[in-house]
Amino acid sequence: MRKILTVLAALASLSLTNCGYNAIQSEDEQIKANWSEVVNQYQRRADLVPNLVNSVKGFAQQEKDVLLGVTNARAKVGSIQATPEVLNDPAAFQKFQAAQSELSSALSRLLVVTENYPQLKSDALFKDLMSQLEGTENRITVARNRYIKAVQDYNVTIRSFPTNLTAMTFGYKEKPNFSVENEKEISTAPKVDFNPAPAPSK
């Protein structure tokens, strides 16, 4: 009896290997690892934001709307739990992505404002924060690219025969991937205007 069970177990193991079950497991784990790195880098950016806001506030107190926008966007990012379960819920993933995009936009507006404050740009603390932020943005890009590739590999695996049969049997579905929300906007070349803005009338 024990010999029969051993043979059945071996056959089951071989069939699972050949049907792509192990490949699906491996790629699913790779996605989770890459996702953790994406979240880690986004968290690093969120941690820099309060220091950056305080640094700018010291020089540009009048830019309250911009500073408030960054603070609110960071709070929204912090309110979303970026657990691995987000990867199986396209709506939750979209919400996470939208919050991160909002923070990116708010930071962009903040950086535009800082151009008007030469003394801020020369401040050592601000320079250090900007250097850290730039490094973090680069790390986010790398982490996202790795995640995108891992999801692509996984999605191809579970849609290819015969592993698609295994995926259906065990309930594995396609994972959502990062997308460009403002695709139409970024496909248009930006307008460059070197003329100084007119001074506000008193």
Side-chain angles (χ1 to χ4, degrees), residues 59-80:
F59 286 89
Q61 184 67 38
Q62 61 271 36
E63 307 291 352
K64 288 179 182 171
D65 288 346
V66 176
L67 294 168
L68 189 62
V70 174
T71 303
N72 289 342
R74 187 206 181 264
K76 192 175 287 185
V77 162
S79 70
I80 297 172

Side-chain angles (χ1 to χ4, degrees), residues 74-198:
R74 187 206 181 264
K76 192 175 287 185
V77 162
S79 70
I80 297 172
Q81 295 296 314
T83 60
E85 286 71 35
V86 168
L87 305 179
N88 299 317
D89 183 351
F93 187 87
Q94 182 65 30
K95 188 176 176 185
F96 173 84
Q97 189 176 351
Q100 293 296 342
S101 295
E102 189 176 327
L103 180 55
S104 295
S105 296
L107 285 170
S108 295
R109 287 190 294 276
L110 180 68
L111 299 184
V112 168
V113 162
T114 61
E115 292 297 315
N116 298 325
Y117 298 90
Q119 71 277 27
L120 169 61
K121 288 167 64 180
S122 65
D123 181 69
L125 174 62
F126 180 75
K127 283 162 107 174
D128 179 55
L129 287 167
M130 288 308 301
S131 175
Q132 289 187 57
L133 185 63
E134 185 179 330
T136 301
E137 293 293 346
N138 290 337
R139 289 187 186 96
I140 287 170
T141 300
V142 170
R144 278 176 52 132
N145 285 342
R146 287 177 179 157
Y147 173 81
I148 289 166
K149 180 68 171 73
V151 170
Q152 179 187 12
D153 292 345
Y154 170 86
N155 286 344
V156 167
T157 296
I158 67 164
R159 290 175 62 196
S160 302
F161 184 82
T163 50
N164 64 330
L165 302 175
T166 305
M168 281 190 286
T169 302
F170 289 96
Y172 287 99
K173 294 181 171 59
E174 285 186 56
K175 305 273 188 193
N177 216 332
F178 285 106
S179 60
V180 179
E181 289 179 12
N182 57 342
E183 192 170 339
K184 185 177 179 184
E185 183 182 319
I186 65 170
S187 63
T188 307
K191 294 179 181 176
V192 179
D193 185 4
F194 291 106
N195 295 321

